[in-house]
């Protein structure tokens, strides 16, 4: 009984570290990289400031909760309903994040006589599809680990 | 089951990598200028007018140096101006492959009948601005990227005929067999945006009576600067009119641009400065003088010609009687041009002509055939004058011989029709039938005030001369101290 309790404590401690690392990595990827990239582009080519229209704001506004939700997803056990819920929420937030951030990037140029504009509908759709596939992955993961959990519970009942 | 999850996760990772590769390979070339659409610049837009159609052409380049084909390229182009949309065109290009530079010809056409008269006038003569508006769309496969280009640029239009300039100060006239030829230097500055020809029908009119002097036609190539001399052939009457008279000349230009179906009339007014400002014969100063060879009529004159003329004018002047049936004499004068000249015409007179000019007031006519040598222009100048004879209606008569006192008397009368006072010296010589001098008398204006005969005054004196015997005839000599005029008249009783 004590061994199983110790094992459970170690598992939770590992999930916490994983959650913190996941949150930090996501914060870096979804907010930090955007901030650094924006800074480097504007410093290098000042006239490209107009490329980023509220991009950093959107990245921060959605990226921070996305990172936290992703961390929470990592914190909970595979096969748990909470992990599935937070996982799907992560997917939803990431879709919102990509749509908002990518559409806020104005890859165009406004000259004296022309306006050149570049949009990325195909890429956005691909990213949304990818995110949805990630959601499917969470579903599969829940399904797989929920079955394993039930098997383990049956084994524990037999053990007692 | 876990291996399935691992496999799915691996696929997701691969999918993410693909997205990243697609993003980089599609966005980077677009941002770095490897995918570029070049709209024709103003000087790459070509205008053409042919058979009643106005055409605007330009070449657009689609440069695709990216990694993917450009698909579904739609280009909408319109040209606006004169407060309306003049031209529009839509072009679709299915595909420009990766690495290909594709030229797309834009050709905008419109029938000239769609333009109002005001539009055409603006197009021909005025500066205006056209706006070229282009809207282009293109996509990468699967709409990975969509390109949109909105282009709005102005094309300055200087007019087909930017400037027509006649050089008034360089108008010249030269003689021809029929009269003369007036040349007016002309510069026409036309747009280099077109390559066509215009026909210009020109009419030269004078303002005084609106008569058409002459007509001519020139062809003006459109497509740059063109210089020519517009020449008008004039007859003798017009030539003589222009030689002596300042005039406002109207050059009416009917400009026809046949391809455009446009005709416009333009009138330019010139101030024509007569080459010969005046020829004045100073009749009041004309005089008859005795010279060793007989006598001469001197007629002072003033001639003023424009300083645009140079060289000499040769004037052959003939003096005629009133009905021009008798030519008294002629003289030739070489008159310098471009300056004011004062000189005298000299006509030699024989004895009878001398007497006629001294004693008979009558109309004389001068006809001058003048040739401006450098310009080779011939013209005729005519003038007439009522010559006032100094001893007009001279009468010597009513002789009476007094045997007792041995004197002879006679009446002498005349009217001084000349414009100046006569200072008469009178000499009377009396001869017998053997031509021996039998008496004489000299009377001078210095001794007798009656011999100062003012202009218009009648002279009437009875002269008495002492004689040694009865004379048969008299030689009466009149001399004018002012002019040197001398008339000797033999009078028999």
């Amino acid at each position: 009984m004590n061994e199983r309790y110790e094992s459970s404590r170690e598992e939770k401690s590992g999930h916490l570290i994983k959650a913190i690392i996941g949150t930090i990595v996501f914060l870096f990827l979804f907010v930090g990289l955007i901030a650094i990239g924006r800074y480097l582009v504007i410093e290098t080519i000042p006239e490209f400031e107009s490329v980023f229209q509220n991009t950093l704001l959107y990245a921060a506004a959605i990226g921070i909760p996305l990172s936290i939700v992703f961390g929470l997803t990592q914190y909970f056990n595979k096969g748990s309903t909470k992990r599935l819920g937070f996982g799907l929420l992560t997917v939803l937030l990431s879709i919102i994040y990509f749509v908002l951030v990518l559409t806020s990037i104005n890859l165009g140029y406004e000259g004296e006589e022309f306006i050149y504009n570049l949009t990325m509908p195909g890429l956005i759709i691909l990213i949304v599809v990818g995110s949805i596939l990630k959601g499917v992955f969470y579903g599969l993961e829940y399904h797989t680990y929920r079955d394993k959990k039930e098997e383990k519970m049956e084994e524990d009942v037999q053990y007692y | 089951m876990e291996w399935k999850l691992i496999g799915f996760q691996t696929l997701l990772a691969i999918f993410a990598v693909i997205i990243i590769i697609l993003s980089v390979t599609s966005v980077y070339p677009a941002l770095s200028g490897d995918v570029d659409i070049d709209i024709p610049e103003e000087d790459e837009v070509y205008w053409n007018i042919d058979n009643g159609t106005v055409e605007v052409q330009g070449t657009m380049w689609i440069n695709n140096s990216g990694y993917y084909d450009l698909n579904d390229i739609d280009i909408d182009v319109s040209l606006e101006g004169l407060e309306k949309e003049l031209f529009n065109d839509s072009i679709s290009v299915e595909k420009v492959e990766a690495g290909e530079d594709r030229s797309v010809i834009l050709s905008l056409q419109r029938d000239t009948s769609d333009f109002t008269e005001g539009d055409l006038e603006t197009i021909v003569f005025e500066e205006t601005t056209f706006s070229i508006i282009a809207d282009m769309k293109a996509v990468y496969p699967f709409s990975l990227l969509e390109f949109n280009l909105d282009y709005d640029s102005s094309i300055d239009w200087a007019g087909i005929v930017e400037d027509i300039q006649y050089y008034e100060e360089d108008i010249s006239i030269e003689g021809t067999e029929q009269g003369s030829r007036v040349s007016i230097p002309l510069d026409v500055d036309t747009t280099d945006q077109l390559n066509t020809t215009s026909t210009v029908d020109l009419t030269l009119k004078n303002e005084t009576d609106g008569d058409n002097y002459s007509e001519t036609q020139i062809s003006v190539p459109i497509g740059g600067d063109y210089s020519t001399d517009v020449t008008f052939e004039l007859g003798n009457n017009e030539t003589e009119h222009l030689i002596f008279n300042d005039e406002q000349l109207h050059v009416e230009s009917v400009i026809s641009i046949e391809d455009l179906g446009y005709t416009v009339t333009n009138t330019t007014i010139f101030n024509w400065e007569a080459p010969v400002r005046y020829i004045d014969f100073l009749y009041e100063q004309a005089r008859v003088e005795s010279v060793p060879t007989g006598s001469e009529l001197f007629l002072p004159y003033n001639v003023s010609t424009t300083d645009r003329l140079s060289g000499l004018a040769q004037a052959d002047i003939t003096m005629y009687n009133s009905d021009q049936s008798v030519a008294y004499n002629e003289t030739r004068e070489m008159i310098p041009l471009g300056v004011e000249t004062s000189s005298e015409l000299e006509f030699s007179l024989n004895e009878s002509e001398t007497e006629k000019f001294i004693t008979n007031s009558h109309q004389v006519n001068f006809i001058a055939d003048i040739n401006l040598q450098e310009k080779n222009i011939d013209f005729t100048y005519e003038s007439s004058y009522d010559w006032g004879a100094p001893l007009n209606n001279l009468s010597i008569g009513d002789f009476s011989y007094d045997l007792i006192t041995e004197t002879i008397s006679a009446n002498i009368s005349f009217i001084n029709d000349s414009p100046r006072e006569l200072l008469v010296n009178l000499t009377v010589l009396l001869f017998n039938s053997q031509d021996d001098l039998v008496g004489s008398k000299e009377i001078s204006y210095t001794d007798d005030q009656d011999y100062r005969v003012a202009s218009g005054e009648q002279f009437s004196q009875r002269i008495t001369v002492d004689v040694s015997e009865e004379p048969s005839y008299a030689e009466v000599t009149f001399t004018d101290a002012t002019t040197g005029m001398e008339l000797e008249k033999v009078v028999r009783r």
Side-chain angles (χ1 to χ4, degrees), chain B residues 397-429:
Chain B
D398 196 13
F399 289 92
S400 64
Y401 176 65
D402 187 336
L403 187 62
I404 298 168
T405 58
E406 289 191 315
T407 57
I408 189 166
S409 300
N411 284 336
I412 299 176
S413 68
F414 63 85
I415 298 170
N416 178 12
D417 249 0
S418 76
R420 69 178 69 81
E421 183 186 39
L422 289 178
L423 304 175
V424 178
N425 290 316
L426 180 67
T427 304
V428 180
L429 300 175

Side-chain angles (χ1 to χ4, degrees), chain B residues 47-85:
Chain B
W47 296 74
N48 188 33
I49 299 173
D50 191 22
N51 288 330
T53 303
V54 181
E55 185 179 24
V56 186
Q57 274 196 346
T59 303
M60 196 169 74
W61 284 91
I62 302 172
N63 311 314
N64 182 13
S65 298
Y67 300 102
Y68 309 107
D69 297 345
L70 268 177
N71 297 330
D72 303 332
I73 301 162
D74 293 321
I75 305 164
D76 292 322
V77 187
S78 64
L79 190 76
E80 295 179 359
L82 308 172
E83 299 175 350
K84 64 180 123 183
E85 184 181 273

Side-chain angles (χ1 to χ4, degrees), chain A residues 8-9 12 19 24 30-31 37 41 46 62 70 89-90 93 96 105-106 110 112 133-134 145 151 153 155:
Chain A
S8 177
R9 276 191 65 183
K12 287 208 168 178
I24 291 169
F30 289 90
V31 184
V41 169
I62 311 298
F70 178 73
L89 189 57
T90 302
L93 284 173
I96 295 169
I105 295 174
N106 177 23
E110 190 168 339
E112 280 184 14
L133 288 175
K134 182 68 178 174
Y145 284 96
E151 282 174 15
M153 282 177 71
E155 281 175 10

Side-chain angles (χ1 to χ4, degrees), chain B residues 419-446:
Chain B
R420 69 178 69 81
E421 183 186 39
L422 289 178
L423 304 175
V424 178
N425 290 316
L426 180 67
T427 304
V428 180
L429 300 175
L430 294 161
F431 299 91
N432 62 15
S433 55
Q434 285 78 42
D435 297 334
D436 297 327
L437 184 65
V438 295
S440 67
K441 188 170 189 176
E442 288 188 10
I443 307 169
S444 171
Y445 68 95
T446 55

Side-chain angles (χ1 to χ4, degrees), chain B residues 283 317-329 356 362-369 380-385:
Chain B
Y283 294 111
I317 305 131
T318 306
M319 184 168 61
Y320 291 89
N321 66 351
S322 57
D323 59 3
Q324 296 186 20
S325 59
V326 177
Y328 291 127
N329 209 330
K356 184 172 182 179
H362 64 288
Q363 188 186 58
V364 288
N365 293 292
F366 296 90
I367 297 179
D369 293 318
T380 302
Y381 176 74
E382 293 188 27
S383 177
S384 62
Y385 177 61

